[in-house]
Amino acid sequence: MNQTRLGYLYGFGAYLLWGFFPIYLKLLRPAGPVEILAHRIVWSVVFVALVLAAMRNVGFLRALARRPRALAGIATAATLIAVNWGTYIYGVNSDRVVETALGYFINPLVIVLIGVFLLRERLRPAQWAALGVGGAAVAVLTVDYGRPPWLALVLAFSFAGYGLVKKRLGLPAAEGLFVESAVLALPALAYLGWLTRSGAATFGHVSAGHTALLVLAGAATAIPLLLFAGAANRLPLSTIGMLQYVGPILQLGCGVLIFHEPMPPARLAGFALVWLALVVFTVDALRHTRRTRAQARAAAPVPAGAR
């Protein structure tokens, strides 16, 4: 199998797992969102530590300890991903899977917005049009819900911010996830200890299957990230951008078709506007990528033997 096909396999694998993740989270009830989040953090540390030990790659910790700015960035990334994970778990287990899917649909538009206001990037006209349509979608959904779609917005902004910090840090997937989870592990363990002492913990008190599923939350967190890293190393960024819509499409399907969440006409209209914005955004990105590649080929020097 060539590297491109392997990249597609890794990419689809990652987004399929993320797309069906709401089903897994539903199985973790009656554990509350914060308990699930704490187990997800703790068991992620354990799982990724085993992966790194198998790869014999633990020396990076010593090098990282000598980079205080990187450690501060990791703490920021850890906080953002904890907010993202916690919000997502809360959304799924409060029967708002459709709204969580919306968050990941609008995430690319939020990334563009961050680029404008934080990185002072200039947008092309089509990108401005996509942002305008996305803003109209949020307005329509605000009317439908009777409130702004806060859960979706928190998911979109926290994940976009996490991606920005991660890009600046430049850490590989496994190493980054290990350190981020390790930063959060102490408060997570403290919370689980308090929960156990108060008699409110579900871990070990519901069933053997439920306990096993909580333990496996670490692997369920890490495996898609590792698959995604494998895809990102083998596929163009434009291809990754197209694949990223697989996850929220499947999440939306889970919410509507499996969990029977409502999708009234006004909400459907809001989602349709989001999808229109994404079509405009994606088509423009593909055209810009092709144009840039063509310009690079035209500007490349001609080899002496080819003249």
Side-chain angles (χ1 to χ4, degrees):
M1 182 180 295
N2 64 39
Q3 292 301 306
T4 300
R5 289 183 180 178
L6 192 60
Y8 274 107
L9 186 62
Y10 285 154
F12 276 113
Y15 284 111
L16 282 173
L17 290 173
W18 278 327
F20 289 114
F21 201 59
I23 299 173
Y24 182 86
L25 289 177
K26 293 278 191 181
L27 296 174
L28 300 182
R29 293 189 295 187
V34 182
E35 183 180 6
I36 295 172
L37 175 61
H39 278 289
R40 189 175 182 181
I41 290 166
V42 170
W43 297 114
S44 291
V45 173
V46 175
F47 180 82
V48 180
L50 293 173
V51 171
L52 292 174
M55 295 167 57
R56 298 182 179 180
N57 187 18
V58 293
F60 79 96
L61 288 172
R62 289 190 295 272
L64 193 60
R66 294 191 291 268
R67 298 169 57 194
R69 292 185 65 181
L71 291 174
I74 289 168
T76 302
T79 302
L80 289 168
I81 200 61
V83 169
N84 185 268
W85 286 354
T87 303
Y88 183 73
I89 294 166
Y90 169 77
V92 170
N93 283 346
S94 59
D95 300 321
R96 292 162 69 180
V97 176
V98 169
E99 193 173 346
T100 66
L102 173 65
Y104 292 107
F105 274 125
I106 66 176
N107 178 66
L109 302 177
V110 171
I111 291 173
V112 173
L113 203 61
I114 287 176
V116 172
F117 288 101
L118 294 185
L119 304 180
R120 298 289 186 263
E121 294 179 354
R122 291 185 177 183
L123 297 188
R124 297 182 294 276
Q127 291 176 310
W128 280 116
L131 284 177
V133 175
V138 171
V140 169
L141 290 166
T142 297
V143 172
D144 174 64
Y145 282 113
R147 54 169 175 77
W150 292 118
L151 192 146
L153 292 172
V154 170
L155 285 173
F157 276 92
S158 61
F159 199 69
Y162 173 74
L164 175 64
V165 175
K166 289 280 285 184
K167 183 177 180 179
R168 289 183 170 178
L169 288 172
L171 290 176
E175 289 84 345
L177 179 61
F178 175 78
V179 180
E180 291 157 18
S181 300
V183 168
L184 300 169
L186 281 179
L189 284 169
Y191 177 78
L192 291 175
W194 173 82
L195 211 60
T196 300
R197 285 194 302 273
S198 65
T202 63
F203 185 79
H205 298 287
V206 176
S207 67
H210 180 265
T211 300
L213 286 172
L214 283 173
V215 172
L216 290 172
T221 297
I223 290 173
L225 284 171
L226 296 175
L227 289 173
F228 176 79
N233 290 336
R234 292 169 173 84
L235 296 176
L237 189 61
S238 57
T239 303
I240 294 293
M242 294 293 291
L243 285 177
Q244 73 177 334
Y245 301 130
V246 172
I249 287 171
L250 292 175
Q251 290 171 20
L252 179 63
C254 286
V256 175
L257 301 176
I258 298 177
F259 304 127
H260 306 293
E261 294 185 14
M263 181 61 85
R267 192 166 307 169
L268 185 60
F271 270 85
L273 285 173
V274 171
W275 295 329
L276 175 61
L278 291 175
V279 168
V280 173
F281 174 79
T282 304
V283 170
D284 174 72
L286 291 173
R287 285 179 176 173
H288 180 71
T289 300
R290 291 196 190 101
R291 191 181 305 119
T292 302
R293 288 176 179 171
Q295 290 171 350
R297 285 195 296 267
V302 179
R307 294 174 182 169

